[in-house]
Each structure stands twice: as structure tokens, then as C-alpha cells.
Amino acid sequence: MRYFLNKLGFLLLTIWAALTLNFALPRLMPGNPALNMLAKFQGKMPPQALKAFELQFGFSNQPWPIQYINYLGSMLTGHFGFSYTYYPVHVSTIIAQSLPWTLGLLGISYLVSVVLGTVLGIFIAWRRGGVTDSITPIVSMTFQAIPQFWLAVVFVYFLAFSNNIFPMSHSYGNTEVPGLNWPFIRSVVYHGFLPFLVVFLTSVSGWIIGMRNNMMMTLGEDYVVFAEAKGVSPRRLIFNYAARNAILPQVTSMAIALTTIIGGQILIEQVFSYQGIGFQLTNAVTSEDYPLIQGMFLIVAVFGVVINFLVDILYGRLDPRIRRRGATS
Amino acid sequence: MMQTKKKRNSNSALRGFFRNAKAVVGFSIFSLFVIIGIFAPLLAPYDPQSTNFAPSLGPSVAHFFGTTNTGQDIFSQFIWGTQTSLIVGVGSSLISTLIGFIIGVYAGYKGGTVDGILNTIMNVFLVMPGLALLILIESYLKSSTPLINGVIIAVTGWAWGARVFRSVAMSITNRDFIVAARLSGAKTWRIMFVEILPNMTSQIASNLIYACLGAILAESSLAYLGFESISSNSWGTILFWAQNGGAMLSGSWWWFVPPGIAIALVGTSLALMNFGIDQITNPRLRIHKKRKISKKNPALEPSGGM
Amino acid sequence: MSDRQPILELDHLSVGYQTSAGIVNAVNDVNLTIYKEEIVGLIGESGSGKSTMAYAIMRLLKGDALITNGTIRVMGKDVYAMNLKELRAFRWAQMAMVFQSAMSALNPVMTVQTQMVDTILAHKKGMTRLQAIERANQLLDIVRIDRKAMQSYPHELSGGMRQRVVIAIAIALNPGFVIMDEPTTALDVVVQRSILDQIKEIQKQEKFAVLFISHDFSLVAEMASRVAIMYAGRIIEMTPSQTLQLGERHHPYTEGLLRAIPHLSADNITIEGIPGSPPNLVNLPRGCAFHPRCPVAVDVCKDQRPKAIPSGNGHVECHLFEGEQEVQHG
């Protein structure tokens, strides 16, 4: 329980830090470009909308602590303001539209890579010394050094543009009607396959190697040797004794790799014009849509921190030394 | 006496590094790029910005990597880009390692409340999605340069090193020689840089390597997204212009392929060099070549690149 | 002695490690027999090959280690002649082992109950889970731990309790032979004492033979009826434990070890160490491996390896005893 509260506190602290960054950056930067942008909208927007912008970007005569409190208040109640480019669409509306795409694409590619990589890692450790054992580290190193977004560009060129095997961009075909209908779902899978493949290829070998190394370490532990001696079947030895422990550092790696994975997702969405939050974020920067930038940054940050929190909780579930810490000490 | 002993140690460490085949291959590849970077003015056949040539030419003897849609020589851009990317990578990794060292070692050495606060800040930086934060900062900067980006990458990315340095500092803070130095009244900064630093050279080397790789990837990502001024020239900007100059539509694969391969090669060379460092710091790997029960290697940790 | 049933028989056993310098023997031509219900101590400095020998007996050698010569028989069965399935059934049912560190011998993410039940069910195929749990509870009673500990994870138990759990697991299937590899080194003196007493008690009750490995001379002398002294992979002396006191004649190394025990009874504590350090196995001295450190070495020690010479109820590998043998035989 204490572990849970600790992690929850850290979650809130990080979200607060992200909010504060959003508040402080426009006020710290010389020449506050957000305000210049705002000037262009003078007269095009109703006064209330302008007022909201002023509050958000510091174009106000109030002392900054009061601005800060007002700002936190409006953010916490979900008032992210209007987008410049899509006015009068709310930033929160755009978030709501793009978040599911990011969640779906990132979630599936992340989970499939982790699960498949982990299972293969266990398998390779089991059959240690095979050809796979010596080749995987080298393949892994090469694939991880390749910039993900560049691999995406190469795939788009060779598999989508030159050979037309896959679509070049977007998340579903223009002719499909979004909803729970088969043509739409098929189109989503078809469009999502290349971005998924990029993430999968660049990350799966890392998970394999990570799990393999953890397994090799664990297989040398006394408790595995002890269990082998006491007659536990090889199957149970590998899964319940070795893998069950070897998976703990793997879960830690899941949390550590997360920020990099989110970074990769932003770029991949850009390459494939995939309408998730990463795509919206980079586009908002190009069109200098500051309220949208802030909203998107905030949601990316919250997204990352929440997944990190969930991974921490998962770790706590898996490791009794953490789960029961509150009860014993 | 101490001095010579230390020197001998570092000599044998270097010899160990160069006896490792992987490290030598990595070092050679990296050196090749460094030489290209240093001699860029001599190696680049043309002015990278000049638009004097026929547009969208394929690779030929006159233009090894062909030309852009505006008739620029891609090979010249690539050579100059090598210089920029390496300066950003090396410079940024030096800055972030220094910041990480100061904060991490200070936290680990001081302990208590200071450590509590610094460690929390570290963790916040660790979970904050790095590229999103960089993009947010870029949005207020307006067409920054590769060098500015290198600094920003360092300032936002130091926490990775700090985490490692903190744990090493914590483990050696109570050793006799540190306690003796403290009791003899040595200043904190002196203890940090003179007493603690020599004991974490391998972690520092490892961190320099990964920070360098991370900075090159991050800078090229930012440049690819178009957050650098038009006049900059790095591997990332080549990719940006390839994307926006319709390299796809005109079939100019030679435009976007070389920078990506270069980044991958530099990345691989850095990872190979880290293998060499691992061999020195982890004697177990040296003796039992056959067993290969390696310490968890950050190079092998899953990460998708930026 | 010969009328008793042998439980462990090591016959010219050598165990080596493959290194870049070739095969290095950590255990070198060892002969040892342990009889029914007997406790035999095995003593030596770290690196003398004690643990390697234990792992070899249990057929748990890993990686580059291998048997280079000799045979190991437990209850008359050649341990290395079994196939893996036979081995899995035989090991633990007939021979068990208490590991050095109980903390690392227990799986940190499983409850005590699961780990105990695992052991029982792996061998008793016909048993139900409930019966296995009941048996596990009895075992906890034997090692005198509260049955509540069943639901605990290893990190929730004290060091002494963990070691008791490991002992309970070792005797779960009533084995005839148990190896105890420094079972109390990681514990503080008070806990050490109570566990040793308990081991003796359980051993009397369950009547298994024990190979008790330690580097603590006084402890081994107290536990065992006979003591084997190991140096550089060889058992250089085998002797009844009651002979282990100052004044009795022993191998110079054994005498060195005896002098190294602090004698608290005297007014002032005197400890004498053995000068020098254990030899490098890769590059063993010619002749008797102990000669560079031996205070009474003579020329022959430098180039001839001493043979095992019967002495009292055991044997000694030392040139200085050679004359006596001739005297004994006539």
C-alpha cells in the first residue's frame, strides 16, 4: 500500500512538473512567440476565448503567482483552450480524437514486441549455445542503431511507394466509414501494419537479448540449482523458478524504455501521417498552434507517466519483496 | 608513485580495450567518421548549399550520392553533415555527462534530504518523454541550430547518467579513502572530482558513449521534423529536405538512404566500443569466454531509438 | 568398519574445470567412504575444492566443470551412470544437499509452502496436494518453525528460519545421505549453535549420513565422527575427530589448522596462522602441494607426491609418516 501511494505521489508530481513547464516556458522565452501569434487572432475571436489565451500564455497584468493558480485551475478542470488552427475546436476535442489512434498503435506494437521478445528470450536461454544465441546479439545491435524514423521512411519508400504493397500514410482508407464494420477494421489493420513492423523490428531483438541475459543470470542462481536438485521438472524449473524471476528486470526495462518508445512513436506518426497525438504535436509546432502544442505535450507526458505508473504497479504485483514491504517493515 | 600506478592501470585498461576485436572494429568505424568530420572542408567536393547542378541526378562519379531536387550535391552535404552530427553528438554527450556527474555524484555523496530531492528531480526527468519535451522547447525557439539543439538535448537528457553516477557514488562514499579525505577537510567538489571520479571512469566512458549516440539520434530527429534553421547542415536536415523535397515521389532513394546508414554505423560503432569497456570492467566476461553470462548491458536494453 | 553399509563411495575422483590453460583439477584423486548414519566432516580453506566435490556428488556441476576421473556411488548406485530421468528421481529421494546460503537457495518470488510442496510432489506422484501440504507442515514441525511460516516469502523470514526451511526441504523425502555445505556460515553465533544442535537431533532421529563441509575446525570436530582435511583438491588426511587436539600427531597442514584455532581456555589467546597462501590450482607446486608452506618439509617433499599412508583409523598423505608405516608393518 505504501508502495502504491509512493508511486501515485510521484505520478502526480510529474504531471504537476509537466503543467509547470507548460506555464513557465512561454514566460521565460525571449519575445514570447505565442503572444505574437495571438496578435494575429485579435478580432477574429470572441473576447472570452482571447482571455483564455492570455491566461495561458502570460499576456496579462496580473502578478504571475495568481496567473499560475488560475492556470493550474483551468488545466485541472480540463480547459486546455482552443486550437488556433482549428478554431473554434477545443484542444481537448483534438486530444480525444487522436489519443485512441496513438494508444492503439503504440499499445499493440509495444505489447507484441515485449511479449514475443520475452518468450523468445526464454526459449533462447533454454536452448543456450545454439546458432540463434550467437547471431541475435549482433542482429539486435544493428537493428537498434538504425534510427526508427529512417527505417520508417525506407519502408514507406520501398514497400509503399515503389511496390504499393502497403499504404503510404494515414490510419484508414478515405472511403471507409469509421465504426465497428469489417471493411473499416481491415483498413485500420492494413494501414497500421507498416508502422507496427518498424517498431517491432527495431525493438524486439532488444527484448529477446534482455530476457536471455536475465535468464542466463537467473539460471546460475542458487535457488534454480537447488530446485533442479530437488527434482522439479525442467518445464517448471524454466518457467516458475527461472523465468518468473528473470522477468522482473525485464519489467524494469519496460518502464525505462518507455520514454524512448514514445519518442519513436511521435516520429513514426509523422512519417506515416498517422493521426495520433505525436502527429498532432509536430504539426502544431509547424503551424505555431501554441494551445495545441501545450495540450499535446501535456497529454504525451501524462500518457507516459501513467503507463510508467502501471508498469510500477505491475512490478509490485510480481515481486513479493515489494508487494509486502508495508506489512513487514 | 601513485601517479605512475594509476597510469599503468589506465595503460593496461587501454590495452585490454584494444585487444578486444569488437572494440577495435567499433573504434575504427568511429575514427573513420571523425576523420571525415575533421577534414570535411577538404573532402567535400562542392559547396553543400550551391544549387548549380542538374536536379535529382542519381549517384555517379561526379556526384557520389546524386543531387537533390534543387540541384545540390548530396555527397558534400553528407560530408559536412558528418562534421555537424559528430560535434553535436560528442559535445552534447560531454555536457550531459558533466551535468549528470555533478548532480548524480553530489546526490549520492551527500545522501539524506539533498539526495531525496535530487533523486526525485532525476526521476521526473527520466519519465518525462524526452522527444516531446524537446519538441515543446523547440516550439518556442524558432529555427534553432544543431549546436543549440545539442545543448538542449544535454540539458534535458542528463538524468540517465546521473542515475548511474549516483548509485556508484553511494556505494563508495563510505570507503576509507573518501572518509579520510572528508575528515582531513577536503572541499566537496575536490572529493567529487579528485577522489570519486577516478573510481567511476568506466561508467563515465560508458555514459559518454550512450549520450553521444542518444544526442546524434535526437538531433537528427529534431532536424528531420524541421526544427532547425534552413541554413543548417546535418544528417537530420538532409532527411528533412529529402522528405519535403519529394525524394519519395521522384524516386530519389539516394537522398535519404546515406544519412540513415551513417547514423546506424556510428551507433553500431559506439555500441561495439562499449563492449570493449564492458570487458575491462567485468573480468568475468574475460575469463569465461564460452559462458557469456554478461552483465546487463545497456546497449542491449530494448529501446527503439528516438 | 567394513561390516557397515557404505552410503557414499568416492573412488579416485577427480573434478576439473576447462580453462584456457587446459583442464585444471579442483578435486584430485579423492577416495572417501561414508557409512550409514555417519557424520563425516570435510574441512579446507576456500578454494580447496570442498564445494566442487559436493556439487560433483550431487551431479550439479555447471558450465566448464567435469568429472575427469573416478566414480561416485551413492547407496551403491553410480550417480553418473543414470540417465536424466533416473537422476531426477534418485536425487533428493536418496541424497539431498543443504546449500551454503539459505537466502539464495530459496526462490524469492514463491512462498515457503509452494517450494516445499514442489519438492514433495516432484517425487511422490501419487500424492495429492493436500497430503503434500500436510507433509510440509510436519517438516516445519521437525525443524521447529511455526506453521504460519508456510505462507511467507523467503525475505519475510529471519536468516535462521530460512536455513531451517532449507533443511526441512532437504529431509523432505527421508534421504539416506545429506550434504551440508557450510550450513551455518551466514548466521550469527547464537543462531548457528541452535541450528547445529537441531541438525544433530534430526540426524539421530532420521538416521541419514552426512557430509558436513566447513572451514571451521572446532565446529566440524564437534559435529563429525571422522574428519577429512582437504588441501589443493586432495584429501591429505582422514582422521577420527577425537584425535583432533593439540599434541596428537597429524599432517603438518592439519597441525597448522589446529594451531590456528583460538584457545580461550588459556590466560592469553594465542592464534598462529599458516604462513603463505593456498596454492594456485593452475600451477601446483611439484611434489607435495603443501611443501612451500610446510615448516618441516624435507627434500623429498619438493619432487615426490606423498602416497596415502594408513594411520590410526584413517590415512595421511605425508612423507614424514612413511617411516612409521614401515615400523607398523614390521
Side-chain angles (χ1 to χ4, degrees), chain B residues 254-265:
Chain B
W254 54 85
W255 196 352
F256 59 82
V257 168
I261 290 178
I263 296 171
L265 274 175

PDB file of all heavy atoms in Angstrom, chain B residues 254-265:
ATOM      1  N   TRP B 254      18.585   7.677 -53.160  1.00  0.00           N
ATOM      2  CA  TRP B 254      19.955   8.005 -52.759  1.00  0.00           C
ATOM      3  C   TRP B 254      20.005   9.229 -51.859  1.00  0.00           C
ATOM      4  O   TRP B 254      21.007   9.511 -51.230  1.00  0.00           O
ATOM      5  CB  TRP B 254      20.810   8.259 -54.008  1.00  0.00           C
ATOM      6  CG  TRP B 254      20.203   9.299 -54.919  1.00  0.00           C
ATOM      7  CD1 TRP B 254      20.349  10.647 -54.813  1.00  0.00           C
ATOM      8  CD2 TRP B 254      19.372   9.065 -56.045  1.00  0.00           C
ATOM      9  NE1 TRP B 254      19.643  11.278 -55.800  1.00  0.00           N
ATOM     10  CE2 TRP B 254      19.032  10.333 -56.579  1.00  0.00           C
ATOM     11  CE3 TRP B 254      18.873   7.899 -56.661  1.00  0.00           C
ATOM     12  CZ2 TRP B 254      18.214  10.464 -57.694  1.00  0.00           C
ATOM     13  CZ3 TRP B 254      18.070   8.057 -57.774  1.00  0.00           C
ATOM     14  CH2 TRP B 254      17.736   9.326 -58.282  1.00  0.00           C
ATOM     15  N   TRP B 255      18.902   9.957 -51.810  1.00  0.00           N
ATOM     16  CA  TRP B 255      18.867  11.176 -50.997  1.00  0.00           C
ATOM     17  C   TRP B 255      18.728  10.826 -49.512  1.00  0.00           C
ATOM     18  O   TRP B 255      19.416  11.362 -48.663  1.00  0.00           O
ATOM     19  CB  TRP B 255      17.696  12.040 -51.469  1.00  0.00           C
ATOM     20  CG  TRP B 255      17.738  13.462 -51.019  1.00  0.00           C
ATOM     21  CD1 TRP B 255      18.600  14.024 -50.128  1.00  0.00           C
ATOM     22  CD2 TRP B 255      16.896  14.512 -51.471  1.00  0.00           C
ATOM     23  NE1 TRP B 255      18.357  15.356 -49.997  1.00  0.00           N
ATOM     24  CE2 TRP B 255      17.297  15.687 -50.810  1.00  0.00           C
ATOM     25  CE3 TRP B 255      15.814  14.582 -52.377  1.00  0.00           C
ATOM     26  CZ2 TRP B 255      16.665  16.916 -51.012  1.00  0.00           C
ATOM     27  CZ3 TRP B 255      15.189  15.797 -52.572  1.00  0.00           C
ATOM     28  CH2 TRP B 255      15.599  16.964 -51.892  1.00  0.00           C
ATOM     29  N   PHE B 256      17.829   9.898 -49.205  1.00  0.00           N
ATOM     30  CA  PHE B 256      17.585   9.638 -47.774  1.00  0.00           C
ATOM     31  C   PHE B 256      18.286   8.388 -47.246  1.00  0.00           C
ATOM     32  O   PHE B 256      18.331   8.165 -46.049  1.00  0.00           O
ATOM     33  CB  PHE B 256      16.078   9.570 -47.477  1.00  0.00           C
ATOM     34  CG  PHE B 256      15.337   8.510 -48.246  1.00  0.00           C
ATOM     35  CD1 PHE B 256      15.340   7.193 -47.824  1.00  0.00           C
ATOM     36  CD2 PHE B 256      14.608   8.845 -49.392  1.00  0.00           C
ATOM     37  CE1 PHE B 256      14.653   6.218 -48.523  1.00  0.00           C
ATOM     38  CE2 PHE B 256      13.924   7.875 -50.108  1.00  0.00           C
ATOM     39  CZ  PHE B 256      13.956   6.552 -49.666  1.00  0.00           C
ATOM     40  N   VAL B 257      18.850   7.553 -48.133  1.00  0.00           N
ATOM     41  CA  VAL B 257      19.494   6.339 -47.623  1.00  0.00           C
ATOM     42  C   VAL B 257      20.833   6.608 -46.898  1.00  0.00           C
ATOM     43  O   VAL B 257      21.039   6.128 -45.790  1.00  0.00           O
ATOM     44  CB  VAL B 257      19.649   5.287 -48.754  1.00  0.00           C
ATOM     45  CG1 VAL B 257      20.570   4.154 -48.325  1.00  0.00           C
ATOM     46  CG2 VAL B 257      18.266   4.729 -49.123  1.00  0.00           C
ATOM     47  N   PRO B 258      21.769   7.415 -47.486  1.00  0.00           N
ATOM     48  CA  PRO B 258      23.079   7.548 -46.810  1.00  0.00           C
ATOM     49  C   PRO B 258      23.040   8.068 -45.369  1.00  0.00           C
ATOM     50  O   PRO B 258      23.713   7.483 -44.510  1.00  0.00           O
ATOM     51  CB  PRO B 258      23.851   8.518 -47.722  1.00  0.00           C
ATOM     52  CG  PRO B 258      23.197   8.396 -49.049  1.00  0.00           C
ATOM     53  CD  PRO B 258      21.746   8.117 -48.769  1.00  0.00           C
ATOM     54  N   PRO B 259      22.263   9.118 -45.042  1.00  0.00           N
ATOM     55  CA  PRO B 259      22.331   9.594 -43.651  1.00  0.00           C
ATOM     56  C   PRO B 259      21.886   8.537 -42.650  1.00  0.00           C
ATOM     57  O   PRO B 259      22.497   8.391 -41.584  1.00  0.00           O
ATOM     58  CB  PRO B 259      21.366  10.786 -43.620  1.00  0.00           C
ATOM     59  CG  PRO B 259      21.150  11.171 -45.027  1.00  0.00           C
ATOM     60  CD  PRO B 259      21.335   9.939 -45.843  1.00  0.00           C
ATOM     61  N   GLY B 260      20.854   7.785 -43.008  1.00  0.00           N
ATOM     62  CA  GLY B 260      20.354   6.760 -42.089  1.00  0.00           C
ATOM     63  C   GLY B 260      21.399   5.683 -41.848  1.00  0.00           C
ATOM     64  O   GLY B 260      21.630   5.270 -40.715  1.00  0.00           O
ATOM     65  N   ILE B 261      22.059   5.262 -42.940  1.00  0.00           N
ATOM     66  CA  ILE B 261      23.092   4.236 -42.785  1.00  0.00           C
ATOM     67  C   ILE B 261      24.242   4.775 -41.942  1.00  0.00           C
ATOM     68  O   ILE B 261      24.786   4.084 -41.084  1.00  0.00           O
ATOM     69  CB  ILE B 261      23.580   3.757 -44.165  1.00  0.00           C
ATOM     70  CG1 ILE B 261      22.450   2.959 -44.829  1.00  0.00           C
ATOM     71  CG2 ILE B 261      24.843   2.901 -44.044  1.00  0.00           C
ATOM     72  CD1 ILE B 261      22.756   2.451 -46.204  1.00  0.00           C
ATOM     73  N   ALA B 262      24.586   6.057 -42.164  1.00  0.00           N
ATOM     74  CA  ALA B 262      25.667   6.666 -41.383  1.00  0.00           C
ATOM     75  C   ALA B 262      25.314   6.664 -39.897  1.00  0.00           C
ATOM     76  O   ALA B 262      26.129   6.291 -39.051  1.00  0.00           O
ATOM     77  CB  ALA B 262      25.933   8.087 -41.864  1.00  0.00           C
ATOM     78  N   ILE B 263      24.084   7.063 -39.563  1.00  0.00           N
ATOM     79  CA  ILE B 263      23.676   7.075 -38.152  1.00  0.00           C
ATOM     80  C   ILE B 263      23.748   5.667 -37.578  1.00  0.00           C
ATOM     81  O   ILE B 263      24.267   5.441 -36.484  1.00  0.00           O
ATOM     82  CB  ILE B 263      22.248   7.655 -37.993  1.00  0.00           C
ATOM     83  CG1 ILE B 263      22.222   9.117 -38.438  1.00  0.00           C
ATOM     84  CG2 ILE B 263      21.778   7.544 -36.541  1.00  0.00           C
ATOM     85  CD1 ILE B 263      20.830   9.709 -38.535  1.00  0.00           C
ATOM     86  N   ALA B 264      23.257   4.696 -38.358  1.00  0.00           N
ATOM     87  CA  ALA B 264      23.282   3.312 -37.879  1.00  0.00           C
ATOM     88  C   ALA B 264      24.712   2.836 -37.663  1.00  0.00           C
ATOM     89  O   ALA B 264      25.010   2.158 -36.688  1.00  0.00           O
ATOM     90  CB  ALA B 264      22.560   2.407 -38.876  1.00  0.00           C
ATOM     91  N   LEU B 265      25.621   3.217 -38.590  1.00  0.00           N
ATOM     92  CA  LEU B 265      27.021   2.797 -38.451  1.00  0.00           C
ATOM     93  C   LEU B 265      27.669   3.419 -37.217  1.00  0.00           C
ATOM     94  O   LEU B 265      28.354   2.737 -36.448  1.00  0.00           O
ATOM     95  CB  LEU B 265      27.815   3.189 -39.701  1.00  0.00           C
ATOM     96  CG  LEU B 265      27.773   2.198 -40.856  1.00  0.00           C
ATOM     97  CD1 LEU B 265      28.499   2.766 -42.069  1.00  0.00           C
ATOM     98  CD2 LEU B 265      28.403   0.871 -40.434  1.00  0.00           C
TER      99      LEU B 265
END
